[in-house]
Amino acid sequence: MSDDEVDLELLDLLRKRFGIGVKNDGPPETKVLENAQFICDNSVDVALDMRSTKIAARAILAEMEKREYSTKTWSEHELHPKSRDESTVNFIFTMDLLNFSFWSDKSEEEKFAVVYKGKRWSGYWSLVALLQRALDQDIPITSPNFWIDEERCTEAVLRAVFSSGTEEEIPLLTERVRCLREAGRILEEEFSSSVTTLIEDANNSAAALVNLLAEKFPCFRDEGTFERKKVRFLKRAQIFVADIWAAFDGEGYGAFTDIDKITMFADYRIPQMLHSQGVIWYCPPLENKIRRLEPIESGHSWEMQIRGCSIWAVELLRREILKVKPDAKINAILIDFFLYDLAKEKESEEVEVIPHHRTRSIWY
Ligand SMILES: Nc1nc2c(c(CN[C@H]3C=C[C@H](O)[C@@H]3O)cn2[C@@H]2O[C@H](COP(=O)(O)O)[C@@H](O)[C@H]2O)c(=O)[nH]1
């Protein structure tokens, strides 16, 4: 063997044995979609129905085209910020830092809600409303420096910011305050208290930005274990990137070269929609637990299966849509956003759907 052949043999041995010389400078990946497929392939309590998925894909495509659903729809929402500047970046970061667990088992009248601009906002929209309300009152609630300044940003000020228009306070208030303080400290230590610096550090890669959030911010590190394997959902890290992409219409801070790597956001609303369309099925014990509004603890196998199968279901919907219309300007984000908005419309029309599953956590 020549010297070169010996060297190559040795390098191959070292690479196999110690990973030496293996430059993992391939494109950044979040692993969320591959983990979702792994969960779905190994789920025994949650299953997808391909026939319904094909039917649902055609209905979703038709309705999205009819509404001309696009990134622009994001800014059309009454409460979402419209300016394409740093203030909107900070607003979205604050919002997606706290975008979790609004559900309540109290009645419509009693559950946590915020009255703002003459309307009563609940769920996700209660969060957007209370942030806008604080800004109207000149409370700089979307500034990371404010979150770590305990002289100005006192517990009393925060209680006022999150104050409810009903008897019920916002769920997990203590955890929300902890998320703000922690994120403010990390932004100061690593990103000169600037969210735009954080975005710029990802070099226009959506996957890199998701991974950076999960790596640097524990409160974005939304992961679990399924069949003894670590699985990543990264719901709020991903919806942060998606909200930035949509709010900036794919330009400026929203210009990502790999935005289609972002998956559906594994929350508690979309699985409901997927179930009502026959795309997702629950085994009888699980369905009964959900219909009885009984809690499923965070990290339970059933929760992993609901979240993983939902992510994979939206990927299958996306593939079916592109089979029907290869040039459709549609990705998992827009399908997801559309399904969420549809869920809220059906809720207001009081269309009978299975209840959402009850897991209380800061992850979604
Ligand atoms: N998968 C997914 N989950 C979403 C959203 C949104 C709102 N996104 C806005 C931005 C663009 C869209 O057009 C929407 O207008 C909130 N959530 C999650 O739902 C739950 C709140 O439910 P409820 O209590 O009923 O409001 C909670 O976990 C929250 O994190 C979404 O889009 N996708």
Side-chain angles (χ1 to χ4, degrees):
M1 241 198 282
S2 72
D3 288 354
D4 283 356
E5 282 166 332
V6 169
D7 289 349
L8 281 174
E9 186 91 4
L10 180 60
L11 183 62
D12 196 40
L13 184 70
L14 289 173
R15 184 182 288 124
K16 283 199 181 78
R17 180 72 183 78
F18 301 105
I20 288 172
V22 177
K23 283 177 355 96
N24 62 351
D25 58 0
E29 300 297 339
T30 68
K31 295 194 186 330
V32 173
L33 191 59
E34 100 185 40
N35 290 170
Q37 184 174 22
F38 166 76
I39 292 171
C40 200
D41 289 348
N42 293 278
S43 286
V44 292
D45 303 310
V46 180
L48 304 188
D49 175 281
M50 268 326 287
R51 205 177 60 80
S52 301
T53 299
K54 290 175 186 298
I55 295 166
R58 283 159 179 74
I60 288 166
L61 174 60
E63 188 59 28
M64 287 180 80
E65 288 190 320
K66 185 174 149 204
R67 299 183 187 203
E68 295 180 355
Y69 205 92
S70 76
T71 48
K72 291 180 175 48
T73 314
W74 194 96
S75 306
E76 289 162 10
H77 288 291
E78 177 183 351
L79 296 187
H80 279 162
K82 313 277 181 269
S83 62
R84 293 191 183 173
D85 57 19
E86 185 165 13
S87 69
T88 290
V89 166
N90 286 342
F91 188 98
I92 292 173
F93 184 84
T94 312
M95 184 180 77
D96 285 324
L97 192 56
L98 304 170
N99 189 358
F100 56 80
S101 217
F102 304 105
W103 61 266
S104 161
D105 283 326
K106 294 198 182 307
S107 67
E108 269 310 298
E109 296 66 45
E110 292 169 335
K111 75 181 192 181
F112 171 73
V114 171
V115 177
Y116 178 68
K117 287 197 168 167
K119 284 186 187 170
R120 187 179 182 285
W121 306 90
S122 62
Y124 161 81
W125 293 108
S126 66
L127 171 65
V128 190
L130 65 82
L131 292 177
Q132 294 287 18
R133 178 178 67 182
L135 294 175
D136 290 355
Q137 296 163 352
D138 294 326
I139 299 171
I141 193 59
T142 58
S143 302
N145 281 325
F146 181 67
W147 307 336
I148 52 177
D149 178 348
E150 304 216 16
E151 308 271 299
R152 292 165 61 217
C153 184
T154 61
E155 291 289 316
V157 166
L158 288 171
R159 265 197 304 280
V161 167
F162 289 100
S163 64
S164 173
T166 68
E167 287 308 303
E168 184 181 45
E169 83 169 12
I170 190 167
L172 300 180
L173 175 56
T174 309
E175 287 77 0
R176 293 180 202 275
V177 171
R178 190 181 310 131
C179 286
L180 285 172
R181 305 281 197 210
E182 173 194 276
R185 202 181 56 256
I186 294 165
L187 280 168
E188 181 187 48
E189 286 163 8
E190 309 242 9
F191 302 98
S192 0
S193 289
S194 156
V195 181
T196 52
T197 300
L198 164 68
I199 293 176
E200 284 152 6
D201 281 5
N203 300 318
N204 296 104
S205 165
L209 184 49
V210 166
N211 288 340
L212 194 55
L213 284 163
E215 179 199 339
K216 299 288 185 184
F217 298 84
C219 68
F220 276 109
R221 200 171 300 141
D222 171 13
E223 299 171 343
T225 304
F226 181 70
E227 297 296 324
R228 291 180 301 287
K229 182 176 157 54
K230 185 176 98 168
V231 287
R232 309 180 95 199
F233 300 105
L234 304 181
K235 180 254 176 190
R236 288 194 288 105
Q238 290 202 99
I239 202 168
F240 166 68
V241 175
D243 284 338
I244 293 285
W245 173 67
F248 287 83
D249 199 19
E251 294 166 0
Y253 294 116
F256 295 106
T257 54
D258 56 349
I259 192 65
D260 290 348
K261 285 184 183 172
I262 300 296
T263 72
M264 168 267 186
F265 318 112
D267 73 319
Y268 54 84
R269 222 20 107 195
I270 306 301
Q272 248 185 320
M273 283 304 293
L274 295 171
H275 185 274
S276 67
Q277 293 175 335
V279 174
I280 265 196
W281 289 81
Y282 300 138
C283 69
L286 172 54
E287 178 161 346
N288 293 335
K289 195 169 183 72
I290 290 173
R291 288 190 183 280
R292 287 197 300 259
L293 311 185
E294 290 175 8
I296 297 174
E297 67 174 311
S298 180
H300 188 285
S301 172
W302 276 347
E303 187 209 17
M304 300 291 104
Q305 293 178 59
I306 292 170
R307 300 188 80 194
C309 292
S310 298
I311 292 171
W312 191 243
V314 171
E315 171 61 12
L316 295 180
L317 284 168
R318 186 188 70 83
R319 294 179 183 184
E320 281 305 311
I321 285 171
L322 291 178
K323 276 184 202 164
V324 173
K325 192 171 184 348
D327 63 340
K329 295 270 175 291
I330 282 181
N331 57 18
I333 296 173
L334 291 175
I335 296 170
D336 174 290
F337 281 173
F338 168 74
L339 287 175
Y340 175 85
D341 289 342
L342 201 62
K344 301 312 284 178
E345 287 169 22
K346 288 187 181 299
E347 192 179 51
S348 56
E349 290 155 16
E350 290 176 6
V351 171
E352 181 52 39
V353 289
I354 188 172
H356 64 75
H357 70 280
R358 261 76 173 163
T359 297
R360 188 68 79 193
S361 83
I362 69 162
W363 305 120
Y364 58 97

